[in-house]
Amino acid sequence: MSSKSSLLKVILLGDGGVGKSSLMNRYVSNKFDTHLFHTIGVEFLNKELEVDGRLVTLQIWDTAGQERFRSLRTPFYRGSDCCLLTFSVDDSQSFLNLNHWRKEFAYYADVREPESFPFVILGNKVDVTERQVTTEEAQRWCHENGGHPYFETSAKNAINVAEAFEEVVRSVLASEDRPEHMLPSDTVDLCRKPRSRTRCC
Amino acid sequence: MAETPLPETRRCIYFFLYDRSKVQEEGDLTRAGICYFYPEDTPLDQQELLCGQLAGVSRCVSELSSSPVRLLRLRKSKYAVHMRDNFLWVLSCVADIPDVSVCAFLDQLIDLFCFYNGPVRQSYQLHSQEELALRWACYLSNLQGGSTELHHIFSCLKTIDSTHIDPLLLLKAALILQACQRCPLVLAGCVLYRGRVVSTQMAPELTVKVMVHETETYSQDHRLRANGVTSGVSPPSSTVTTTVFLTPSELHTLHCPPVDNSCRSNGGPQPLARPRKSRLSRTLSDTPIADQDPAELDPAHFPPLSYQTLPSSPRSSLSDESCFSPSPSLVSTPLRSSLVSRSEGGTPPESRDRGLPNGTLPSKVTGGSVGGSSGVSVQEGERLDLESETKNPSENPEVCSLLNGHRSEQDDFSHQLSESLAKLGPVNDQSSGRSGQGGETERNQAKESKETGGEAARDCGAHSEASLQPMLLYQHRVRGLVLALLVEPSFNTHPSAKDEVYHSSLASLNGLEAHLRTTSPGTPGAQGPYTFAHYDCIQNTLTTNVCGRSAGSQDRPFVKATALLHSHFSHSDTLQEAIVRNAGCAVYGTRTAAQETYFLQQGASSRNSGIPNAQDSAFSLPSKARHRLLKHGVNLL
């Protein structure tokens, strides 16, 4: 079973312009484009990787950060195995909005226990010199909100991006280390229910 | 091949391609000249009979009248005809399809073949008849399949039902295309979903051609899937490139997109090799340059001349027609003289056509052409209840006023034209500057002269066909979604072009596909107590609330009346509004240069006394149409 590739759906959320699309492109295609359009709705790319001897296919869903695209993106939250909350270290508002994003995700993804759901926090654009959010602030927030892993990344300079996504895989596998999660993609939705039920009993 | 067209939507009765060069001597068998015949199970005797007769008639008529035959009408059937080189194409349709639609259908079919196979003569040298027969059958079934009768009447594009999807998704599709255009060697493209257009950067007639390949690969894919090849972990996505052939004018339009989309199909044929530079948006950044480009001051670019009001001629393959170029003397005939002779029926078609600046001729409404519409009205004379503002009867004043408006340009143009002709010498050079315009006028001329022909340039087709340029069609499929791009031939050999396009579009295509797949198909909606059809001549699209492929019995009169009115509109350029009625219902039609709209109010008690009457309920149709259609985004104000 472990030799079989399993599909993990992870979703990038965060304010518009914090670099979600760039992070995805950097990780999957190792490319960076300063002139990306706004993402409309959702987009996704697949990436196969091996973490701790296990082969997984990471399906990374990139979403539109702007409020006006909300109705387009929210239907795709369901079935996510992990949520990457992204902010930009040079924009304190995007950091303050993390709470909002977490709530929106929990609501639309229908997560029963947001506390135990694997979130990973990314502070992007560390290549920018004028920071508005310190590492300590971010780490404190992660600690207070369920002890989520925190990564400071730069899609532009390819700093920490791969590490962050690998951590995503680890945290998903750690929380879902059960054979039923090795089923192909189409059944991911169904798998979620039994898991949360076993958890709450 | 044969699985797509259902019997009831089949609009083609016969279609054949006949090569006259194979039948020269007395002893030559007619069958030797038959390259393709549809339906393929027609007995050979019958094939020979039809081909022999029609080839003879076409040739005879065209030689007598020195202009090409476009339509042969027999007592019970009619045949659209296309002659080029030694080839003769004939298509016969069910009777109630308007003349313009039949001709458009035939033209589309030939264009399609040339788009995927290149010049016809060359294709038949390179491939076996059987192989090409498969392709003809495929194109035929593609053009016939899957759309409604209304679509057939207008020969329009099948578009995605935009009322049920978020407009932002249309924007997303457009952005995907723009992102691709930023990649090297990419000219233009379109996004298709399940055989329907989501967004396109190309002229409608080019989009139609591109779609055929899409539909083919889709149905193949579908069959595979149905046979148990299930989608794996990742969505099945694949890319293909195929060689396609573009006419010089299509290529020209792609290289420098027109400011105004309506100028499609009128670009001068010489491809302007613009330096390709990276840019953010073709539509924005390139337009001003294109405006000032002196190379574009081509005779074919005068807007009034190039503007097409005939939706029935969405053809850009000027080259196809240039074999019937009139002699230079005719081309440079002073406009005024043609005007003088216009009012008389016996004017030679060549000179008649120079008349109108917009390229169409306000001929008399020829009602006989649209026979068979028994459900609508009985007498020809009663068919059209013209509104008072519809200025129709006297043509000459109109023509004059139109001409006055553009006289200077016209003079200018004819001057340039004769100049360029003088340079070019004999008629059928690969005359770039002229053949564009030549094709234009010929087309109209072809429309005009029903049964005429031209010996003038029998053998020039080779020239025009040789000018077809090979390009590549790149397709990237993500399930039901396809990105189709026309790219330069060097795309395949370029080190990074393909990768760049692939990577810049993959994520968005995945996303768009997911969005479209989860969008509910939408219920047909409350239909309202009316029926309408709105045809956009520029984008070649149709909006209608007549649903389903087979119009229900209550929609039959509407469809017939629409066919009838469309036919009249195409014949008479000055006709703007018309009401066609029978005892039970009345259909209102109105058109501008850019659109045609047809409207039927259901359940209206018809107070119809038979003579013109201000109380007549039909006269309230225009205002009803204006109000009702606003909510469908159709503005008739």
Side-chain angles (χ1 to χ4, degrees):
Chain A
M1 204 68 186
S2 60
S3 66
K4 201 177 171 196
S5 173
S6 60
L7 187 103
L8 303 181
K9 175 176 175 179
V10 301
I11 190 160
L12 282 156
L13 295 182
D15 279 11
V18 298
K20 298 179 292 298
S21 304
S22 296
L23 280 167
M24 178 178 75
N25 284 333
R26 171 58 79 188
Y27 182 57
V28 178
S29 334
N30 200 19
K31 285 197 169 127
F32 182 78
D33 183 353
T34 42
H35 292 294
L36 278 183
F37 291 117
H38 281 314
T39 305
I40 296 177
V42 295
E43 316 197 330
F44 70 88
L45 287 175
N46 291 344
K47 165 112 177 167
E48 291 190 354
L49 73 158
E50 202 182 317
V51 175
D52 305 335
R54 293 178 65 168
L55 203 59
V56 289
T57 302
L58 207 52
Q59 188 169 81
I60 305 166
W61 288 70
D62 172 31
T63 59
Q66 283 78 11
E67 182 57 27
R68 65 178 182 277
F69 299 132
R70 178 210 273 258
S71 63
L72 277 179
R73 69 174 178 251
T74 50
F76 295 93
Y77 292 2
R78 269 173 187 280
S80 301
D81 296 295
C82 178
C83 177
L84 289 99
L85 296 176
T86 313
F87 69 96
S88 165
V89 295
D90 69 339
D91 176 4
S92 58
Q93 189 58 47
S94 71
F95 175 67
L96 296 175
N97 284 342
L98 285 182
N99 263 319
H100 155 78
W101 283 108
R102 203 168 59 125
K103 273 184 208 147
E104 182 178 297
F105 176 78
Y107 181 78
Y108 287 101
D110 207 12
V111 176
R112 298 252 169 122
E113 294 160 57
E115 302 77 34
S116 57
F117 188 86
F119 285 94
V120 172
I121 318 300
L122 305 182
N124 193 32
K125 303 198 188 177
V126 286
D127 53 282
V128 178
T129 44
E130 296 90 26
R131 286 182 68 129
Q132 293 188 359
V133 183
T134 63
T135 312
E136 293 71 38
E137 274 178 279
Q139 279 171 341
R140 200 179 321 128
W141 188 91
C142 293
H143 183 73
E144 288 165 3
N145 288 276
H148 306 306
Y150 172 66
F151 285 86
E152 299 213 324
T153 58
S154 164
K156 190 177 178 186
N157 295 345
I159 299 169
N160 246 352
V161 179
E163 289 81 353
F165 280 100
E166 277 161 26
E167 175 58 31
V168 166
V169 176
R170 278 195 199 95
S171 59
V172 174
L173 292 181
S175 71
E176 301 191 347
D177 208 356
R178 250 168 272 271
E180 61 260 44
H181 294 295
M182 295 289 112
L183 291 172
S185 61
D186 303 31
T187 53
V188 164
D189 277 9
L190 299 176
C191 289
R192 295 189 50 75
K193 255 187 186 164
R195 183 200 56 196
S196 38
R197 209 178 293 136
T198 50
R199 195 64 58 71
C200 71
C201 293
Chain B
M1 288 303 114
E3 81 275 9
T4 7
L6 295 174
E8 72 269 17
T9 56
R10 216 177 73 174
R11 48 176 174 162
C12 170
I13 297 170
Y14 290 116
F15 167 72
F16 67 80
L17 168 60
Y18 181 73
D19 183 357
R20 240 178 356 211
S21 66
K22 300 257 175 67
V23 190
Q24 303 277 17
E25 310 282 323
E26 277 294 314
D28 292 344
L29 288 173
T30 311
R31 64 190 64 181
I34 302 176
C35 300
Y36 177 68
F37 197 100
Y38 171 90
E40 289 172 41
D41 53 7
T42 313
L44 199 57
D45 289 348
Q46 209 180 321
Q47 293 187 17
E48 284 196 312
L49 183 72
L50 202 62
C51 290
Q53 296 287 335
L54 288 175
V57 171
S58 306
R59 174 140 197 202
C60 168
V61 173
S62 64
E63 286 192 5
L64 282 175
S65 59
S66 322
S67 57
V69 183
R70 288 298 280 147
L71 194 75
L72 290 172
R73 202 185 341 268
L74 309 187
R75 182 176 288 180
K76 284 184 183 159
S77 51
K78 59 184 169 192
Y79 298 86
V81 178
H82 191 95
M83 302 166 79
R84 184 208 298 162
D85 206 352
N86 268 316
F87 287 113
L88 171 78
W89 286 265
V90 173
L91 174 89
S92 148
C93 270
V94 288
D96 51 358
I97 292 187
D99 294 357
V100 281
S101 314
V102 181
C103 292
F105 185 16
L106 178 60
D107 291 344
Q108 264 189 0
L109 191 56
I110 300 170
D111 282 355
L112 260 185
F113 184 88
C114 294
F115 182 69
Y116 287 106
N117 302 288
V120 181
R121 176 70 64 198
Q122 186 192 310
S123 313
Y124 273 90
Q125 283 159 357
L126 291 175
H127 305 281
S128 71
Q129 276 201 11
E130 291 72 34
E131 227 174 300
L132 295 176
L134 282 178
R135 299 194 191 166
W136 282 114
C138 152
Y139 306 140
L140 257 175
S141 83
N142 254 294
L143 286 183
Q144 301 193 91
S147 48
T148 65
E149 198 173 337
L150 278 175
H151 281 83
H152 289 170
I153 291 167
F154 295 102
S155 313
C156 55
L157 280 179
K158 280 178 268 180
T159 49
I160 196 163
D161 183 1
S162 55
T163 52
H164 291 118
I165 63 170
D166 193 319
L168 282 169
L169 296 181
L170 300 179
L171 176 64
K172 188 175 175 74
L175 288 180
I176 293 173
L177 291 175
Q178 284 191 22
C180 290
Q181 264 186 335
R182 285 159 56 184
C183 301
L185 304 176
V186 175
L187 295 176
C190 63
V191 175
L192 311 167
Y193 186 66
R194 294 185 180 161
R196 293 174 175 274
V197 181
V198 182
S199 181
T200 181
Q201 294 173 315
M202 301 179 286
E205 51 275 19
L206 197 51
T207 311
V208 170
K209 297 181 193 175
V210 167
M211 284 176 77
V212 169
H213 191 240
E214 191 276 324
T215 318
E216 279 306 289
T217 49
Y218 179 62
S219 50
Q220 275 171 22
D221 221 51
H222 226 64
R223 247 170 279 144
L224 280 180
R225 202 88 46 79
N227 290 342
V229 185
T230 48
S231 57
V233 166
S234 57
S237 73
S238 52
T239 64
V240 217
T241 46
T242 14
T243 305
V244 294
F245 297 84
L246 270 70
T247 65
S249 70
E250 284 169 341
L251 208 55
H252 175 75
T253 321
L254 288 179
H255 277 119
C256 38
V259 186
D260 167 9
N261 230 345
S262 62
C263 294
R264 70 199 148 100
S265 88
N266 289 285
Q270 69 274 62
L272 293 178
R274 308 183 124 266
R276 291 196 61 79
K277 46 199 180 282
S278 68
R279 57 204 147 190
L280 282 176
S281 157
R282 173 182 289 257
T283 34
L284 296 177
S285 53
D286 263 14
T287 308
I289 309 169
D291 257 348
Q292 297 149 6
D293 195 337
E296 289 205 359
L297 293 178
D298 185 87
H301 272 260
F302 286 109
L305 277 164
S306 58
Y307 201 79
Q308 288 195 0
T309 46
L310 268 188
S312 55
S313 54
R315 314 193 46 205
S316 50
S317 54
L318 307 171
S319 53
D320 282 354
E321 309 249 4
S322 57
C323 57
F324 277 110
S325 309
S327 62
S329 64
L330 280 172
V331 172
S332 53
T333 302
L335 292 157
R336 233 57 52 78
S337 71
S338 68
L339 243 193
V340 175
S341 56
R342 167 171 305 276
S343 53
E344 300 308 317
T347 322
E350 283 81 0
S351 52
R352 290 178 71 175
D353 288 315
R354 313 298 140 194
L356 268 193
N358 58 5
T360 51
L361 199 67
S363 68
K364 289 226 161 60
V365 172
T366 50
S369 59
V370 286
S373 50
S374 52
V376 184
S377 119
V378 210
Q379 281 292 331
E380 148 110 54
E382 293 166 11
R383 277 196 185 146
L384 291 174
D385 272 350
L386 294 171
E387 289 270 301
S388 54
E389 64 260 48
T390 313
K391 327 158 196 154
N392 184 40
S394 70
E395 290 171 8
N396 270 342
E398 295 248 358
V399 175
C400 289
S401 68
L402 274 170
L403 266 177
N404 283 337
H406 304 290
R407 176 158 293 161
S408 57
E409 281 169 351
Q410 284 278 320
D411 287 351
D412 222 29
F413 165 66
S414 63
H415 180 66
Q416 285 190 30
L417 199 59
S418 45
E419 252 186 11
S420 61
L421 275 172
K423 274 185 226 145
L424 288 166
V427 193
N428 296 303
D429 238 322
Q430 296 95 316
S431 54
S432 41
R434 201 218 71 239
S435 78
Q437 191 54 39
E440 181 64 32
T441 48
E442 255 114 60
R443 188 174 315 148
N444 305 319
Q445 157 186 336
K447 289 266 141 44
E448 249 321 281
S449 54
K450 297 248 162 48
E451 291 158 20
T452 44
E455 179 64 282
R458 266 294 127 76
D459 39 20
C460 66
H463 283 301
S464 56
E465 284 204 338
S467 60
L468 287 173
Q469 298 286 323
M471 299 295 273
L472 288 178
L473 176 64
Y474 165 90
Q475 274 200 7
H476 180 177
R477 167 180 297 283
V478 180
R479 290 203 172 109
L481 187 78
V482 167
L483 168 73
L485 300 172
L486 285 170
V487 295
E488 302 275 3
S490 49
F491 183 79
N492 265 343
T493 50
H494 191 279
S496 65
K498 204 182 248 178
D499 271 2
E500 221 172 295
V501 169
Y502 184 82
H503 287 297
S504 68
S505 59
L506 180 62
S508 320
L509 289 175
N510 283 340
L512 184 59
E513 198 276 334
H515 279 297
L516 292 173
R517 183 156 34 92
T518 50
T519 302
S520 63
T523 47
Q527 210 181 334
Y530 54 88
T531 310
F532 80 99
H534 176 73
Y535 172 62
D536 184 323
C537 317
I538 308 297
Q539 298 180 55
N540 204 14
T541 54
L542 186 71
T543 319
T544 177
N545 64 350
V546 178
C547 53
R549 46 194 304 143
S550 53
S553 56
Q554 78 278 10
D555 289 327
R556 285 302 306 159
F558 177 76
V559 173
K560 280 197 165 180
T562 301
L564 180 69
L565 286 170
H566 174 63
S567 189
H568 279 301
F569 280 142
S570 69
H571 279 115
S572 170
D573 194 41
T574 50
L575 184 59
Q576 291 176 346
E577 291 184 287
I579 293 171
V580 62
R581 62 146 49 135
N582 64 4
C585 62
V587 173
Y588 167 70
T590 178
R591 73 105 168 260
T592 65
Q595 59 190 41
E596 290 177 28
T597 309
Y598 303 90
F599 180 81
L600 165 79
Q601 177 74 38
Q602 280 157 4
S605 61
S606 50
R607 285 196 300 275
N608 173 9
S609 55
I611 52 165
N613 175 356
Q615 305 299 313
D616 199 320
S617 57
F619 290 129
S620 62
L621 276 178
S623 69
K624 279 211 180 89
R626 272 190 276 273
H627 288 116
R628 300 279 197 194
L629 298 188
L630 264 182
K631 76 167 178 194
H632 297 278
V634 176
N635 189 354
L636 298 176
L637 301 175

